[in-house]
Amino acid sequence: LPGRPVAARPQSVRAPGVEPGAMGGVPCPWCATANRPDRHYCARCAMPMAGEERAPGQLPWWRRLFAFRNGEIPWAGDRPRLRRTFDRVLTWVGAAIVLTLLIVLAVNIPRAVDATKDHFAKRAPIYPDRVSASRSFPGHKPELAFDRLNNTWWGPGVSQAGKGQWLEAQFDEPTRLLDLMITPGVSTRPDQLNQSALPHRIEAVITTAKGKTITRQITLDQGAGAQRRSFRVGTVTSVRFTIESAYGTSGSKQVSIAEIEFFGPSNAGGS
């Protein structure tokens, strides 16, 4: 069967008429349609009557971090999201951690600079101004352990390990120490090692230029010759070496130390 005819569709849409009371009103900056003076948006194109709106400038990061407010109520599209109490706590904890790290970094920068200088500094021997000991074997005074000769030695005159006996080096001026070298026994010759007991563990008590006391443990090997140890203890005024244990002890032997040598930064080329 033949279909029924369909009504013809309109070919154009009639533009809306002029709003009542808008004759002679403010023209729209977008479509030039007259609008009432009290309208904020055009009655024809719905664009703002004030023209192009610019988004307000973004706040500085420190104002966004602490959420400072100037008392103005933001527009609906600009309102920040609601922050929970837990979010604020995390913000303050993060700020406290950053502040703590900055303080620790500022405090430790001088130490890091000194450590770097000490690592690359050229070493030079340093000699104490005065030495003393808890006791000494006749003919083997404490000065013989610092006389720059490795065939003379100091001994406490006590058999076995001589635990608790000590040697002390003092400096008239605060001195920066970097390395330490100890020669155990009566000389550097291997065939003379069995003539005395050899120090094994030594406790070093360092007095700094500020009066602070630092304790270091030094462990020596059972062998002939000088043994170098890192001894970065800053600026000191005295160092006391106390014997704690020894190798090869017996009732007929005493512990002995042939030489103790200090090394600090060289002044060569310095101002």
Side-chain angles (χ1 to χ4, degrees), residues 2-97:
R4 296 180 179 179
V6 179
R9 296 182 179 180
Q11 299 299 318
S12 61
V13 178
R14 185 175 59 182
V18 179
E19 188 179 17
M23 295 302 296
V26 180
C28 174
W30 304 93
C31 64
T33 301
N35 287 268
R36 296 197 310 269
D38 59 341
R39 291 194 65 89
H40 295 287
Y41 294 91
C42 179
R44 178 183 177 86
C45 65
M47 295 298 289
M49 295 296 295
E52 183 180 1
E53 291 186 349
R54 297 184 180 274
Q58 191 177 25
L59 294 176
W61 67 268
W62 56 271
R63 294 192 62 183
R64 298 197 307 273
L65 177 63
F66 295 101
F68 288 160
R69 297 289 183 266
N70 57 6
E72 297 180 358
I73 300 177
W75 292 94
D78 298 333
R79 291 175 184 168
R81 67 181 181 88
L82 296 177
R83 304 187 65 184
R84 299 179 180 177
T85 304
F86 185 70
D87 295 337
R88 294 185 179 275
V89 171
L90 288 180
T91 299
W92 285 106
V93 170
I97 292 175

Side-chain angles (χ1 to χ4, degrees), residues 14-271:
R14 185 175 59 182
V18 179
E19 188 179 17
M23 295 302 296
V26 180
C28 174
W30 304 93
C31 64
T33 301
N35 287 268
R36 296 197 310 269
D38 59 341
R39 291 194 65 89
H40 295 287
Y41 294 91
C42 179
R44 178 183 177 86
C45 65
M47 295 298 289
M49 295 296 295
E52 183 180 1
E53 291 186 349
R54 297 184 180 274
Q58 191 177 25
L59 294 176
W61 67 268
W62 56 271
R63 294 192 62 183
R64 298 197 307 273
L65 177 63
F66 295 101
F68 288 160
R69 297 289 183 266
N70 57 6
E72 297 180 358
I73 300 177
W75 292 94
D78 298 333
R79 291 175 184 168
R81 67 181 181 88
L82 296 177
R83 304 187 65 184
R84 299 179 180 177
T85 304
F86 185 70
D87 295 337
R88 294 185 179 275
V89 171
L90 288 180
T91 299
W92 285 106
V93 170
I97 292 175
V98 172
L99 181 61
T100 302
L101 291 177
L102 291 176
I103 294 175
V104 172
L105 180 63
V107 171
N108 288 288
I109 283 178
R111 293 183 181 180
V113 173
D114 290 339
T116 303
K117 290 181 179 180
D118 292 343
H119 180 77
F120 294 101
K122 182 178 180 181
R123 271 49 171 172
I126 296 176
Y127 305 104
D129 298 295
R130 295 182 307 279
V131 296
S132 58
S134 55
R135 56 181 299 166
S136 300
F137 187 68
H140 297 275
K141 301 181 295 183
E143 288 80 6
L144 297 180
F146 301 91
D147 62 353
R148 313 171 199 175
L149 301 175
N150 54 27
N151 58 355
T152 59
W153 52 276
W154 165 83
V158 179
S159 61
Q160 301 297 338
K163 183 177 180 180
Q165 303 301 318
W166 52 266
L167 271 172
E168 184 173 76
Q170 298 178 351
F171 303 91
D172 291 340
E173 296 292 335
T175 304
R176 191 169 189 84
L177 302 180
L178 302 179
D179 288 334
L180 175 70
M181 188 177 293
I182 298 179
T183 304
V186 297
S187 73
T188 58
R189 295 176 54 180
D191 59 345
Q192 296 183 355
L193 284 179
N194 60 356
Q195 294 185 8
S196 68
L198 305 177
H200 174 207
R201 287 191 299 271
I202 298 177
E203 180 186 73
V205 179
I206 304 107
T207 303
T208 66
K210 296 181 179 180
K212 183 180 178 181
T213 300
I214 303 174
T215 302
R216 293 284 182 86
Q217 295 293 330
I218 302 173
T219 302
L220 299 176
D221 300 325
Q222 189 177 8
Q227 301 181 28
R228 183 182 289 268
R229 298 290 184 270
S230 178
F231 204 64
R232 298 180 187 176
V233 291
T235 305
V236 307
T237 56
S238 67
V239 182
R240 174 175 291 193
F241 301 95
T242 303
I243 300 173
E244 293 188 338
S245 63
Y247 298 105
T249 60
S250 70
S252 60
K253 293 181 181 180
Q254 64 174 325
V255 66
S256 61
I257 298 177
E259 194 69 20
I260 297 179
E261 302 173 74
F262 298 103
F263 293 89
S266 174
N267 294 324
S271 57

